[in-house]
Amino acid sequence: MRAHAMAALLLLTTAAAPPSVAPAPSALPPVSPARATAPAPAGWSWPLAPRPAVLRPFDPPDKPWLSGHRGVDLGSASDGGPVTAPESGTVSFVGVVVDRPVLTIDHGNGLRSSFEPVRSTLKKGASVAKGAVVGTLLAGHCGSSPCVHWGVRRGEEYLNPLSFILDLRPSVLLPLN
């Protein structure tokens, strides 16, 4: 009973507090969208089958010029396996970046997925359906372990690709009364 009274008192105190008690929005610390977790949008899927293990998680740098991991490395059953489109879109880039073959798909709304090292016969401008094979995984990115690096950007901002297929919000445990 005492717990219920404390909860009620807390709710009443919070509701009765004047609006000036809450910090002004400018006083709140900024939340980096790259680190923010939001519910996964409906419809995206894993680019490898079966569901891959995450070998290296998303770890964006605090500043664009610092080192970090701007995507996720997903383990594959084997090199040479198919890589599929996690969502429908249009191929916006097929080529080599530094020394790796890269494929990028524009999904609309400013969202682009990139995969490496992936060999593809698709051409820039080709339409791809969700789940369609877009390329073949090549060896080399994760040493002796076959893997694909999957990155997602909105504009120039890197986002956690897993947030498009999993709900990454933290669990909240409530007390049992």
Side-chain angles (χ1 to χ4, degrees):
M1 183 68 176
R2 188 171 185 199
H4 292 295
M6 291 299 289
L9 179 61
L10 180 62
L11 287 172
L12 288 173
T13 306
T14 307
S20 62
V21 170
S26 61
L28 297 173
V31 175
S32 168
R35 295 194 188 271
T37 54
W44 286 54
S45 63
W46 292 96
L48 297 175
R51 180 178 170 165
V54 177
L55 302 180
R56 186 171 174 200
F58 181 68
D59 184 23
D62 291 330
K63 303 286 184 191
W65 58 87
L66 295 174
S67 64
H69 196 236
R70 294 165 174 85
V72 294
D73 291 344
L74 303 176
S76 175
S78 66
D79 290 326
V83 176
T84 59
E87 182 54 84
S88 298
T90 304
V91 174
S92 60
F93 179 81
V94 180
V96 175
V97 176
V98 183
D99 61 349
R100 293 187 197 145
V102 176
L103 170 75
T104 302
I105 301 169
D106 185 333
H107 302 289
N109 295 324
L111 292 171
R112 290 172 288 164
S113 289
S114 291
F115 305 93
E116 59 180 88
V118 173
R119 178 182 8 203
S120 180
T121 59
L122 297 173
K123 305 290 184 214
K124 183 178 178 179
S127 292
V128 294
K130 174 185 162 194
V133 174
V134 294
T136 303
L137 179 61
L138 298 177
H141 181 65
C142 293
S144 62
S145 299
C147 80
V148 66
H149 176 85
W150 177 27
V152 174
R153 292 193 305 175
R154 175 174 279 125
E156 296 304 312
E157 177 185 9
Y158 287 90
L159 305 173
N160 186 346
L162 298 181
S163 68
F164 290 86
I165 52 177
L166 300 172
D167 187 346
L168 298 177
R169 295 176 294 179
S171 297
V172 177
L173 299 176
L174 301 174
L176 295 174
N177 286 348

